[in-house]
Amino acid sequence: MGQFLTADNVFLHCDASTRDEALTLIAEKALEQGAATDARALYQAFLDREAEGSCGMVSGFAIPHAKSSAVTRPCVLVVRSDRPIEGWGTMDRVPVTCAVAIMVPDTDAGAPYLRLLAKLAVMLMNDGFAREVLSQEDPAEVARAIDEGLGA
């Protein structure tokens, strides 16, 4: 499936303390990297998806995802906070500290996007994977761990 994530798309020690702050940061980073043309529209697409149900998962992770006309190319971004990010309900009630965001243009076919989302969800069930991503201090190593899992 190729490379999904590089160190440039991993942001550690972010100051986000709420879901909305994290989603705003993700949208702004996507704009800065040329993966989106409108941070507000992308943020709204994330909120629209969240309105259908929380993207909080397990082990301190959330997988916010959006399809939007503001997205110029498929993109995965990681935002990790040093404190709990309030506002995401999770299946295990562990507060979210890491969001792995998936965004695709609204013209993309659904199957690859849904496969990527499903793979990420399964990867988060692996305690070793979750610990590595949450404890690693090198953005390149976080990207490698996630990329290896998605490429498997």
Side-chain angles (χ1 to χ4, degrees), residues 21-66:
E21 288 174 0
L23 293 175
T24 297
L25 179 62
I26 291 163
E28 289 170 353
K29 293 298 185 185
L31 179 67
E32 287 173 16
Q33 295 190 355
T37 57
D38 184 339
R40 287 177 70 73
L42 179 54
Y43 169 74
Q44 188 59 53
F46 281 121
L47 287 183
D48 292 346
R49 171 54 194 88
E50 286 286 332
E52 297 174 18
S54 176
C55 292
M57 297 298 290
V58 296
S59 303
F61 285 88
I63 308 176
H65 49 285

mmCIF file of all heavy atoms in Angstrom, residues 21-66:
data_model
loop_
_atom_site.group_PDB
_atom_site.id
_atom_site.type_symbol
_atom_site.label_atom_id
_atom_site.label_comp_id
_atom_site.label_asym_id
_atom_site.label_seq_id
_atom_site.Cartn_x
_atom_site.Cartn_y
_atom_site.Cartn_z
ATOM 1 N N GLU A 21 -9.512 21.474 20.140
ATOM 2 C CA GLU A 21 -8.157 22.016 19.941
ATOM 3 C C GLU A 21 -7.311 21.058 19.102
ATOM 4 O O GLU A 21 -6.559 21.485 18.229
ATOM 5 C CB GLU A 21 -7.474 22.276 21.283
ATOM 6 C CG GLU A 21 -8.024 23.457 22.047
ATOM 7 C CD GLU A 21 -7.414 23.597 23.431
ATOM 8 O OE1 GLU A 21 -6.559 22.775 23.826
ATOM 9 O OE2 GLU A 21 -7.797 24.547 24.140
ATOM 10 N N ALA A 22 -7.437 19.765 19.374
ATOM 11 C CA ALA A 22 -6.673 18.771 18.610
ATOM 12 C C ALA A 22 -7.114 18.756 17.147
ATOM 13 O O ALA A 22 -6.270 18.732 16.237
ATOM 14 C CB ALA A 22 -6.825 17.387 19.231
ATOM 15 N N LEU A 23 -8.413 18.795 16.899
ATOM 16 C CA LEU A 23 -8.910 18.780 15.522
ATOM 17 C C LEU A 23 -8.521 20.062 14.783
ATOM 18 O O LEU A 23 -8.193 20.020 13.590
ATOM 19 C CB LEU A 23 -10.425 18.581 15.501
ATOM 20 C CG LEU A 23 -10.907 17.220 15.988
ATOM 21 C CD1 LEU A 23 -12.438 17.176 16.029
ATOM 22 C CD2 LEU A 23 -10.354 16.087 15.141
ATOM 23 N N THR A 24 -8.531 21.185 15.480
ATOM 24 C CA THR A 24 -8.088 22.442 14.874
ATOM 25 C C THR A 24 -6.619 22.353 14.501
ATOM 26 O O THR A 24 -6.220 22.748 13.391
ATOM 27 C CB THR A 24 -8.327 23.620 15.840
ATOM 28 O OG1 THR A 24 -9.734 23.742 16.079
ATOM 29 C CG2 THR A 24 -7.789 24.926 15.282
ATOM 30 N N LEU A 25 -5.812 21.828 15.405
ATOM 31 C CA LEU A 25 -4.378 21.670 15.139
ATOM 32 C C LEU A 25 -4.140 20.758 13.939
ATOM 33 O O LEU A 25 -3.334 21.063 13.057
ATOM 34 C CB LEU A 25 -3.667 21.116 16.376
ATOM 35 C CG LEU A 25 -2.172 20.866 16.242
ATOM 36 C CD1 LEU A 25 -1.419 22.161 15.950
ATOM 37 C CD2 LEU A 25 -1.640 20.221 17.517
ATOM 38 N N ILE A 26 -4.851 19.655 13.876
ATOM 39 C CA ILE A 26 -4.720 18.726 12.749
ATOM 40 C C ILE A 26 -5.066 19.429 11.443
ATOM 41 O O ILE A 26 -4.339 19.332 10.451
ATOM 42 C CB ILE A 26 -5.598 17.479 12.970
ATOM 43 C CG1 ILE A 26 -5.037 16.634 14.118
ATOM 44 C CG2 ILE A 26 -5.718 16.660 11.683
ATOM 45 C CD1 ILE A 26 -6.018 15.616 14.682
ATOM 46 N N ALA A 27 -6.172 20.158 11.427
ATOM 47 C CA ALA A 27 -6.601 20.856 10.211
ATOM 48 C C ALA A 27 -5.566 21.910 9.803
ATOM 49 O O ALA A 27 -5.253 22.059 8.613
ATOM 50 C CB ALA A 27 -7.968 21.491 10.427
ATOM 51 N N GLU A 28 -5.017 22.632 10.783
ATOM 52 C CA GLU A 28 -4.008 23.648 10.474
ATOM 53 C C GLU A 28 -2.725 23.016 9.937
ATOM 54 O O GLU A 28 -2.114 23.535 9.002
ATOM 55 C CB GLU A 28 -3.707 24.486 11.723
ATOM 56 C CG GLU A 28 -4.859 25.408 12.092
ATOM 57 C CD GLU A 28 -4.694 26.065 13.448
ATOM 58 O OE1 GLU A 28 -3.748 25.727 14.212
ATOM 59 O OE2 GLU A 28 -5.535 26.925 13.771
ATOM 60 N N LYS A 29 -2.311 21.897 10.527
ATOM 61 C CA LYS A 29 -1.106 21.211 10.047
ATOM 62 C C LYS A 29 -1.319 20.667 8.632
ATOM 63 O O LYS A 29 -0.420 20.707 7.797
ATOM 64 C CB LYS A 29 -0.693 20.091 11.001
ATOM 65 C CG LYS A 29 -0.213 20.590 12.359
ATOM 66 C CD LYS A 29 1.016 21.452 12.243
ATOM 67 C CE LYS A 29 1.562 21.860 13.591
ATOM 68 N NZ LYS A 29 2.682 22.792 13.497
ATOM 69 N N ALA A 30 -2.507 20.151 8.358
ATOM 70 C CA ALA A 30 -2.812 19.656 7.008
ATOM 71 C C ALA A 30 -2.729 20.796 5.993
ATOM 72 O O ALA A 30 -2.199 20.627 4.890
ATOM 73 C CB ALA A 30 -4.188 19.002 6.980
ATOM 74 N N LEU A 31 -3.210 21.972 6.375
ATOM 75 C CA LEU A 31 -3.128 23.140 5.504
ATOM 76 C C LEU A 31 -1.667 23.533 5.278
ATOM 77 O O LEU A 31 -1.244 23.747 4.131
ATOM 78 C CB LEU A 31 -3.900 24.310 6.124
ATOM 79 C CG LEU A 31 -3.894 25.615 5.336
ATOM 80 C CD1 LEU A 31 -4.655 25.467 4.028
ATOM 81 C CD2 LEU A 31 -4.484 26.740 6.181
ATOM 82 N N GLU A 32 -0.885 23.598 6.360
ATOM 83 C CA GLU A 32 0.537 23.952 6.256
ATOM 84 C C GLU A 32 1.297 22.998 5.336
ATOM 85 O O GLU A 32 2.221 23.408 4.633
ATOM 86 C CB GLU A 32 1.203 23.923 7.637
ATOM 87 C CG GLU A 32 0.833 25.067 8.541
ATOM 88 C CD GLU A 32 1.385 24.889 9.951
ATOM 89 O OE1 GLU A 32 2.295 24.058 10.168
ATOM 90 O OE2 GLU A 32 0.882 25.582 10.849
ATOM 91 N N GLN A 33 0.912 21.731 5.340
ATOM 92 C CA GLN A 33 1.624 20.731 4.548
ATOM 93 C C GLN A 33 1.074 20.574 3.135
ATOM 94 O O GLN A 33 1.519 19.709 2.389
ATOM 95 C CB GLN A 33 1.609 19.394 5.283
ATOM 96 C CG GLN A 33 2.391 19.474 6.574
ATOM 97 C CD GLN A 33 2.585 18.116 7.203
ATOM 98 O OE1 GLN A 33 2.071 17.108 6.737
ATOM 99 N NE2 GLN A 33 3.364 18.075 8.254
ATOM 100 N N GLY A 34 0.096 21.371 2.792
ATOM 101 C CA GLY A 34 -0.457 21.310 1.455
ATOM 102 C C GLY A 34 -1.410 20.155 1.213
ATOM 103 O O GLY A 34 -1.782 19.881 0.077
ATOM 104 N N ALA A 35 -1.830 19.489 2.275
ATOM 105 C CA ALA A 35 -2.787 18.387 2.134
ATOM 106 C C ALA A 35 -4.222 18.887 2.177
ATOM 107 O O ALA A 35 -5.153 18.131 1.909
ATOM 108 C CB ALA A 35 -2.569 17.352 3.238
ATOM 109 N N ALA A 36 -4.404 20.160 2.522
ATOM 110 C CA ALA A 36 -5.741 20.756 2.574
ATOM 111 C C ALA A 36 -5.649 22.204 2.117
ATOM 112 O O ALA A 36 -4.601 22.846 2.224
ATOM 113 C CB ALA A 36 -6.306 20.684 3.989
ATOM 114 N N THR A 37 -6.764 22.717 1.609
ATOM 115 C CA THR A 37 -6.817 24.098 1.132
ATOM 116 C C THR A 37 -7.571 25.004 2.089
ATOM 117 O O THR A 37 -7.488 26.227 1.965
ATOM 118 C CB THR A 37 -7.514 24.168 -0.238
ATOM 119 O OG1 THR A 37 -8.829 23.595 -0.114
ATOM 120 C CG2 THR A 37 -6.716 23.427 -1.292
ATOM 121 N N ASP A 38 -8.296 24.436 3.041
ATOM 122 C CA ASP A 38 -9.141 25.232 3.935
ATOM 123 C C ASP A 38 -9.214 24.530 5.292
ATOM 124 O O ASP A 38 -9.901 23.516 5.430
ATOM 125 C CB ASP A 38 -10.528 25.380 3.313
ATOM 126 C CG ASP A 38 -11.474 26.259 4.097
ATOM 127 O OD1 ASP A 38 -11.251 26.472 5.309
ATOM 128 O OD2 ASP A 38 -12.459 26.731 3.496
ATOM 129 N N ALA A 39 -8.501 25.073 6.275
ATOM 130 C CA ALA A 39 -8.459 24.446 7.598
ATOM 131 C C ALA A 39 -9.833 24.448 8.266
ATOM 132 O O ALA A 39 -10.214 23.479 8.915
ATOM 133 C CB ALA A 39 -7.434 25.147 8.485
ATOM 134 N N ARG A 40 -10.605 25.524 8.101
ATOM 135 C CA ARG A 40 -11.940 25.597 8.731
ATOM 136 C C ARG A 40 -12.879 24.536 8.157
ATOM 137 O O ARG A 40 -13.617 23.889 8.895
ATOM 138 C CB ARG A 40 -12.543 26.989 8.573
ATOM 139 C CG ARG A 40 -11.878 28.038 9.452
ATOM 140 C CD ARG A 40 -12.439 29.436 9.232
ATOM 141 N NE ARG A 40 -13.780 29.689 9.704
ATOM 142 C CZ ARG A 40 -14.151 29.824 10.968
ATOM 143 N NH1 ARG A 40 -13.265 29.689 11.916
ATOM 144 N NH2 ARG A 40 -15.396 30.090 11.282
ATOM 145 N N ALA A 41 -12.836 24.361 6.845
ATOM 146 C CA ALA A 41 -13.698 23.361 6.212
ATOM 147 C C ALA A 41 -13.297 21.952 6.649
ATOM 148 O O ALA A 41 -14.162 21.101 6.906
ATOM 149 C CB ALA A 41 -13.642 23.492 4.696
ATOM 150 N N LEU A 42 -11.996 21.697 6.752
ATOM 151 C CA LEU A 42 -11.539 20.383 7.194
ATOM 152 C C LEU A 42 -11.925 20.147 8.650
ATOM 153 O O LEU A 42 -12.411 19.068 9.004
ATOM 154 C CB LEU A 42 -10.031 20.247 7.004
ATOM 155 C CG LEU A 42 -9.413 18.925 7.450
ATOM 156 C CD1 LEU A 42 -10.096 17.722 6.807
ATOM 157 C CD2 LEU A 42 -7.915 18.924 7.154
ATOM 158 N N TYR A 43 -11.723 21.147 9.485
ATOM 159 C CA TYR A 43 -12.134 21.048 10.892
ATOM 160 C C TYR A 43 -13.622 20.713 10.974
ATOM 161 O O TYR A 43 -14.035 19.832 11.737
ATOM 162 C CB TYR A 43 -11.824 22.372 11.603
ATOM 163 C CG TYR A 43 -12.429 22.494 12.975
ATOM 164 C CD1 TYR A 43 -11.915 21.779 14.054
ATOM 165 C CD2 TYR A 43 -13.523 23.323 13.193
ATOM 166 C CE1 TYR A 43 -12.475 21.889 15.313
ATOM 167 C CE2 TYR A 43 -14.082 23.443 14.450
ATOM 168 C CZ TYR A 43 -13.561 22.729 15.505
ATOM 169 O OH TYR A 43 -14.120 22.839 16.746
ATOM 170 N N GLN A 44 -14.445 21.396 10.171
ATOM 171 C CA GLN A 44 -15.885 21.128 10.185
ATOM 172 C C GLN A 44 -16.191 19.700 9.728
ATOM 173 O O GLN A 44 -17.078 19.041 10.272
ATOM 174 C CB GLN A 44 -16.637 22.136 9.309
ATOM 175 C CG GLN A 44 -18.147 22.024 9.428
ATOM 176 C CD GLN A 44 -18.649 22.229 10.850
ATOM 177 O OE1 GLN A 44 -18.331 23.236 11.484
ATOM 178 N NE2 GLN A 44 -19.413 21.277 11.377
ATOM 179 N N ALA A 45 -15.434 19.199 8.765
ATOM 180 C CA ALA A 45 -15.632 17.814 8.308
ATOM 181 C C ALA A 45 -15.321 16.829 9.439
ATOM 182 O O ALA A 45 -16.030 15.835 9.622
ATOM 183 C CB ALA A 45 -14.758 17.525 7.088
ATOM 184 N N PHE A 46 -14.274 17.116 10.222
ATOM 185 C CA PHE A 46 -13.979 16.282 11.392
ATOM 186 C C PHE A 46 -15.132 16.349 12.394
ATOM 187 O O PHE A 46 -15.561 15.326 12.935
ATOM 188 C CB PHE A 46 -12.679 16.713 12.075
ATOM 189 C CG PHE A 46 -11.426 16.241 11.406
ATOM 190 C CD1 PHE A 46 -10.481 17.144 10.958
ATOM 191 C CD2 PHE A 46 -11.173 14.881 11.234
ATOM 192 C CE1 PHE A 46 -9.306 16.717 10.354
ATOM 193 C CE2 PHE A 46 -10.004 14.433 10.626
ATOM 194 C CZ PHE A 46 -9.071 15.359 10.185
ATOM 195 N N LEU A 47 -15.635 17.555 12.663
ATOM 196 C CA LEU A 47 -16.748 17.702 13.613
ATOM 197 C C LEU A 47 -18.001 16.979 13.126
ATOM 198 O O LEU A 47 -18.707 16.342 13.922
ATOM 199 C CB LEU A 47 -17.070 19.178 13.843
ATOM 200 C CG LEU A 47 -16.103 19.988 14.670
ATOM 201 C CD1 LEU A 47 -16.629 21.413 14.850
ATOM 202 C CD2 LEU A 47 -15.853 19.347 16.027
ATOM 203 N N ASP A 48 -18.279 17.085 11.824
ATOM 204 C CA ASP A 48 -19.443 16.389 11.262
ATOM 205 C C ASP A 48 -19.320 14.887 11.482
ATOM 206 O O ASP A 48 -20.297 14.219 11.847
ATOM 207 C CB ASP A 48 -19.595 16.702 9.773
ATOM 208 C CG ASP A 48 -19.971 18.150 9.508
ATOM 209 O OD1 ASP A 48 -20.377 18.870 10.453
ATOM 210 O OD2 ASP A 48 -19.838 18.580 8.331
ATOM 211 N N ARG A 49 -18.130 14.345 11.284
ATOM 212 C CA ARG A 49 -17.917 12.911 11.512
ATOM 213 C C ARG A 49 -18.066 12.578 12.989
ATOM 214 O O ARG A 49 -18.680 11.581 13.355
ATOM 215 C CB ARG A 49 -16.537 12.494 10.974
ATOM 216 C CG ARG A 49 -16.110 11.093 11.335
ATOM 217 C CD ARG A 49 -17.151 10.041 10.939
ATOM 218 N NE ARG A 49 -16.887 8.775 11.572
ATOM 219 C CZ ARG A 49 -17.326 8.390 12.762
ATOM 220 N NH1 ARG A 49 -18.050 9.186 13.506
ATOM 221 N NH2 ARG A 49 -17.046 7.193 13.225
ATOM 222 N N GLU A 50 -17.525 13.423 13.872
ATOM 223 C CA GLU A 50 -17.637 13.201 15.316
ATOM 224 C C GLU A 50 -19.097 13.221 15.768
ATOM 225 O O GLU A 50 -19.461 12.539 16.731
ATOM 226 C CB GLU A 50 -16.842 14.254 16.094
ATOM 227 C CG GLU A 50 -15.349 14.071 16.045
ATOM 228 C CD GLU A 50 -14.833 12.916 16.899
ATOM 229 O OE1 GLU A 50 -15.468 12.563 17.915
ATOM 230 O OE2 GLU A 50 -13.788 12.357 16.537
ATOM 231 N N ALA A 51 -19.933 13.996 15.084
ATOM 232 C CA ALA A 51 -21.356 14.070 15.435
ATOM 233 C C ALA A 51 -22.049 12.723 15.236
ATOM 234 O O ALA A 51 -23.069 12.437 15.876
ATOM 235 C CB ALA A 51 -22.049 15.158 14.618
ATOM 236 N N GLU A 52 -21.482 11.870 14.388
ATOM 237 C CA GLU A 52 -22.031 10.535 14.151
ATOM 238 C C GLU A 52 -21.628 9.558 15.246
ATOM 239 O O GLU A 52 -22.213 8.490 15.377
ATOM 240 C CB GLU A 52 -21.557 10.001 12.794
ATOM 241 C CG GLU A 52 -22.036 10.812 11.624
ATOM 242 C CD GLU A 52 -21.420 10.345 10.318
ATOM 243 O OE1 GLU A 52 -20.906 9.205 10.251
ATOM 244 O OE2 GLU A 52 -21.442 11.133 9.357
ATOM 245 N N GLY A 53 -20.596 9.873 16.014
ATOM 246 C CA GLY A 53 -20.082 9.012 17.075
ATOM 247 C C GLY A 53 -18.625 9.329 17.326
ATOM 248 O O GLY A 53 -17.902 9.711 16.400
ATOM 249 N N SER A 54 -18.218 9.183 18.554
ATOM 250 C CA SER A 54 -16.846 9.514 18.924
ATOM 251 C C SER A 54 -15.835 8.663 18.176
ATOM 252 O O SER A 54 -16.032 7.460 17.973
ATOM 253 C CB SER A 54 -16.639 9.309 20.427
ATOM 254 O OG SER A 54 -15.294 9.549 20.774
ATOM 255 N N CYS A 55 -14.742 9.300 17.781
ATOM 256 C CA CYS A 55 -13.643 8.584 17.134
ATOM 257 C C CYS A 55 -12.606 8.134 18.161
ATOM 258 O O CYS A 55 -11.531 7.667 17.802
ATOM 259 C CB CYS A 55 -12.996 9.469 16.064
ATOM 260 S SG CYS A 55 -14.100 9.774 14.668
ATOM 261 N N GLY A 56 -12.930 8.305 19.459
ATOM 262 C CA GLY A 56 -12.070 7.787 20.513
ATOM 263 C C GLY A 56 -12.057 6.270 20.439
ATOM 264 O O GLY A 56 -13.090 5.649 20.184
ATOM 265 N N MET A 57 -10.900 5.675 20.656
ATOM 266 C CA MET A 57 -10.771 4.228 20.530
ATOM 267 C C MET A 57 -10.421 3.606 21.881
ATOM 268 O O MET A 57 -11.230 3.626 22.782
ATOM 269 C CB MET A 57 -9.712 3.893 19.472
ATOM 270 C CG MET A 57 -10.061 4.367 18.073
ATOM 271 S SD MET A 57 -11.560 3.628 17.418
ATOM 272 C CE MET A 57 -11.013 1.960 17.161
ATOM 273 N N VAL A 58 -9.211 3.078 22.001
ATOM 274 C CA VAL A 58 -8.723 2.437 23.222
ATOM 275 C C VAL A 58 -7.274 2.852 23.456
ATOM 276 O O VAL A 58 -6.629 3.403 22.574
ATOM 277 C CB VAL A 58 -8.809 0.886 23.151
ATOM 278 C CG1 VAL A 58 -10.251 0.418 23.044
ATOM 279 C CG2 VAL A 58 -7.978 0.342 21.999
ATOM 280 N N SER A 59 -6.774 2.585 24.635
ATOM 281 C CA SER A 59 -5.353 2.764 24.978
ATOM 282 C C SER A 59 -4.842 4.189 24.800
ATOM 283 O O SER A 59 -3.662 4.403 24.547
ATOM 284 C CB SER A 59 -4.475 1.807 24.163
ATOM 285 O OG SER A 59 -4.875 0.477 24.378
ATOM 286 N N GLY A 60 -5.742 5.190 24.891
ATOM 287 C CA GLY A 60 -5.319 6.576 24.773
ATOM 288 C C GLY A 60 -5.317 7.125 23.359
ATOM 289 O O GLY A 60 -4.761 8.189 23.116
ATOM 290 N N PHE A 61 -5.939 6.430 22.426
ATOM 291 C CA PHE A 61 -5.943 6.841 21.017
ATOM 292 C C PHE A 61 -7.325 7.255 20.536
ATOM 293 O O PHE A 61 -8.337 6.731 20.986
ATOM 294 C CB PHE A 61 -5.488 5.692 20.121
ATOM 295 C CG PHE A 61 -4.017 5.437 20.169
ATOM 296 C CD1 PHE A 61 -3.493 4.574 21.118
ATOM 297 C CD2 PHE A 61 -3.158 6.044 19.280
ATOM 298 C CE1 PHE A 61 -2.131 4.317 21.179
ATOM 299 C CE2 PHE A 61 -1.790 5.800 19.332
ATOM 300 C CZ PHE A 61 -1.283 4.932 20.281
ATOM 301 N N ALA A 62 -7.315 8.164 19.583
ATOM 302 C CA ALA A 62 -8.495 8.501 18.789
ATOM 303 C C ALA A 62 -8.070 8.425 17.326
ATOM 304 O O ALA A 62 -6.895 8.645 16.998
ATOM 305 C CB ALA A 62 -9.000 9.901 19.114
ATOM 306 N N ILE A 63 -9.025 8.094 16.469
ATOM 307 C CA ILE A 63 -8.765 8.065 15.027
ATOM 308 C C ILE A 63 -9.774 8.996 14.345
ATOM 309 O O ILE A 63 -10.741 8.539 13.729
ATOM 310 C CB ILE A 63 -8.870 6.636 14.438
ATOM 311 C CG1 ILE A 63 -8.017 5.641 15.202
ATOM 312 C CG2 ILE A 63 -8.442 6.652 12.976
ATOM 313 C CD1 ILE A 63 -8.160 4.204 14.716
ATOM 314 N N PRO A 64 -9.576 10.306 14.473
ATOM 315 C CA PRO A 64 -10.476 11.205 13.753
ATOM 316 C C PRO A 64 -10.265 11.029 12.248
ATOM 317 O O PRO A 64 -9.141 10.807 11.798
ATOM 318 C CB PRO A 64 -10.044 12.593 14.225
ATOM 319 C CG PRO A 64 -8.651 12.425 14.720
ATOM 320 C CD PRO A 64 -8.540 11.006 15.204
ATOM 321 N N HIS A 65 -11.357 11.077 11.510
ATOM 322 C CA HIS A 65 -11.237 10.891 10.066
ATOM 323 C C HIS A 65 -12.299 11.718 9.354
ATOM 324 O O HIS A 65 -13.372 11.972 9.900
ATOM 325 C CB HIS A 65 -11.325 9.408 9.684
ATOM 326 C CG HIS A 65 -12.478 8.692 10.288
ATOM 327 N ND1 HIS A 65 -12.522 8.321 11.624
ATOM 328 C CD2 HIS A 65 -13.646 8.267 9.762
ATOM 329 C CE1 HIS A 65 -13.653 7.692 11.880
ATOM 330 N NE2 HIS A 65 -14.353 7.649 10.767
ATOM 331 N N ALA A 66 -11.941 12.134 8.147
ATOM 332 C CA ALA A 66 -12.845 12.995 7.393
ATOM 333 C C ALA A 66 -12.607 12.863 5.906
ATOM 334 O O ALA A 66 -11.479 12.659 5.469
ATOM 335 C CB ALA A 66 -12.646 14.449 7.812
#
